[in-house]
Amino acid sequence: MPDFLGRSVYLTEFEKQKAPLAAHPAGGAPVFISLHIGEEFGPDYPARVRAMCGWLRQQGWRILADVSELTARQFGCDDIAALAGELGLWGLRLDDGFTLEEACALAAAMPVAVNASTTTPAEAAALAAAGPEVIAIHNFYPRPETGLDPDFLRESTRMLQAAGLKVYAFIPGDGQLRGPLHAGLPTLEAHRAAAPLAAFADLAVNYGMDGIFAGDPGVSSYELELIERYCATGVLPVPVRLAPGQEGLYGQIFTCRPDSPRWLVRYQESRKYAAAGGPVEPAGCGPRPRGTVTMDNRFYGRYSGEIQLIREALPADERVNVIGRLDERYLLLADCIRRGSRFEMVRPPERKEPADAL
């Protein structure tokens, strides 16, 4: 699993991004910048880029710059390697225009990233042999409905990893979104409306990504803190809105029972919590749509107190209390809890609740 969330920084929005970036220490994580966005060009462009790169390095970020074959000329450098040295870049993401031979030569000197959607197995193998750290990065997709589908993302990622490359992808933000569409910058179309934590966990657990960037400039402190906690501990935070009286379950570490079926997660430690408090009385025995958290009541006998997270909709049952719910933006997390993995329910971000909410 990746041990970081990389960020994307844009020159036109850099001043707005500085404070949030400084508030969450980089810890050596990579930051993605582009050096060939036409609307950013101007007479002072090289000076502004140099200042931005200097600030990012001081903050501890490793800079991965998206470059074209024309980028070096804009800065008055002889070649792209010289520019990388001048700006203190950690790595280069090579846009179209570089030959395989040029890419391999650069890979021998520094980390290099290529387009995951267009790199063939033969090219991937050649690049992997050329340098110690070669990355294939999937694109992000600003226009809704154009993001990758799950099958293509999974198949292409496996192929590139089998050839020896690390593979990265993008998730959307939940704060300041990149223009002009402001519709998120995900790699996977299914992530467009998802919370950053949910998209991050999905890419890490279900697609095996080696690295993940936020494509948009803005990611809230709430999401960043949960992602950082997940990377540090391996315990997946699951934002759940629990019913009154159930708040004591927040922060408890649970394990997904290894015999959990695909349609629900069984909380391995849950019955011992119920045993300490006595039989659970029936309450709120309603329908159980995907994302519902339930607790068996005394009508289920020795199962009383067992907690489950529903992955596939189930009907109401008088023996089962509904005690919580995942917000729609976090529903992907229900599929990120693997058998034997650890997770914890956490308080969701504050929002105005409808009258019939838990």
Side-chain angles (χ1 to χ4, degrees):
M1 187 181 83
D3 58 2
F4 62 83
L5 172 64
R7 306 294 298 279
S8 296
V9 173
Y10 300 94
L11 186 61
T12 53
E13 301 172 52
F14 177 54
E15 291 303 317
K16 297 178 184 177
Q17 291 188 264
K18 286 172 75 172
L21 287 168
H24 290 267
V31 62
F32 182 79
I33 68 172
S34 178
L35 297 183
H36 59 92
I37 298 177
E39 61 265 29
E40 295 181 345
F41 296 161
D44 60 346
Y45 177 73
R48 292 168 63 208
V49 170
R50 290 185 179 99
M52 180 178 72
C53 289
W55 187 90
L56 290 169
R57 291 197 313 273
Q58 289 174 358
Q59 295 295 316
W61 295 94
R62 293 179 295 160
I63 306 170
L64 177 64
D66 193 17
V67 298
S68 73
E69 76 278 11
L70 301 177
T71 303
R73 293 186 217 165
Q74 293 175 303
F75 289 84
C77 290
D78 294 334
D79 55 51
I80 205 69
L83 177 63
E86 179 186 326
L87 296 180
L89 304 180
W90 168 71
L92 296 170
R93 193 273 188 184
L94 306 179
D95 196 23
D96 295 338
F98 290 92
T99 67
L100 179 60
E101 291 72 21
E102 289 171 332
C104 288
L106 288 167
M110 66 188 305
V112 162
V114 293
N115 190 325
S117 298
T118 59
T119 301
T120 68
E123 290 169 339
L127 287 162
E133 188 158 10
V134 183
I135 302 161
I137 301 184
H138 289 284
N139 294 327
F140 54 60
Y141 295 89
R143 186 201 184 281
E145 303 169 353
T146 63
L148 299 185
D149 65 75
D151 289 343
F152 179 81
L153 181 58
R154 191 171 283 113
E155 291 166 8
S156 59
T157 296
R158 287 173 180 167
M159 177 274 290
L160 293 162
Q161 289 174 333
L165 301 190
K166 295 180 179 180
V167 183
Y168 288 16
F170 289 88
I171 62 171
D174 67 332
Q176 180 188 358
L177 302 182
R178 176 74 170 160
L181 297 181
H182 304 284
L185 295 177
T187 289
L188 193 66
E189 184 60 36
H191 289 166
R192 194 168 298 278
L197 168 66
F200 181 94
D202 192 33
L203 287 179
V205 174
N206 296 317
Y207 294 88
M209 289 296 155
D210 299 293
I212 299 169
F213 285 100
D216 287 297
V219 182
S220 67
S221 292
Y222 177 85
E223 298 290 324
L224 287 172
E225 288 166 7
L226 291 186
I227 291 170
E228 289 166 2
R229 187 194 311 177
Y230 179 39
C231 291
T233 67
V235 176
L236 178 63
V238 182
V240 173
R241 203 163 299 277
L242 290 172
Q246 301 294 344
E247 293 89 347
L249 294 171
Y250 286 131
Q252 303 285 353
I253 307 298
F254 292 101
T255 307
C256 177
R257 278 183 55 148
D259 56 352
S260 293
R262 75 171 188 276
W263 49 86
L264 56 81
V265 174
R266 298 183 71 183
Y267 291 41
Q268 183 167 291
E269 297 84 358
S270 59
R271 211 179 299 173
K272 73 178 183 181
Y273 291 114
V280 176
E281 294 300 319
C285 304
R288 293 170 286 167
R290 172 172 162 80
T292 302
V293 180
T294 66
M295 179 181 287
D296 294 345
N297 62 46
R298 62 181 175 83
F299 290 154
Y300 240 131
R302 67 187 182 90
Y303 291 96
S304 177
E306 181 167 317
I307 306 173
Q308 300 166 350
L309 171 59
I310 307 304
R311 293 198 262 226
E312 296 180 12
L314 296 171
D317 188 323
E318 66 175 3
R319 300 167 295 180
V320 181
N321 297 353
V322 173
I323 66 166
R325 226 171 254 131
L326 272 71
D327 184 87
E328 186 174 355
R329 297 174 63 245
Y330 295 101
L331 283 178
L332 284 170
L333 293 177
D335 302 318
C336 297
I337 302 173
R338 293 285 181 88
R339 295 179 178 93
S341 67
R342 297 184 302 155
F343 61 98
E344 62 175 322
M345 294 186 290
V346 299
R347 295 181 185 274
E350 291 298 323
R351 63 180 176 84
K352 187 175 181 180
E353 286 296 307
D356 60 348
L358 286 165

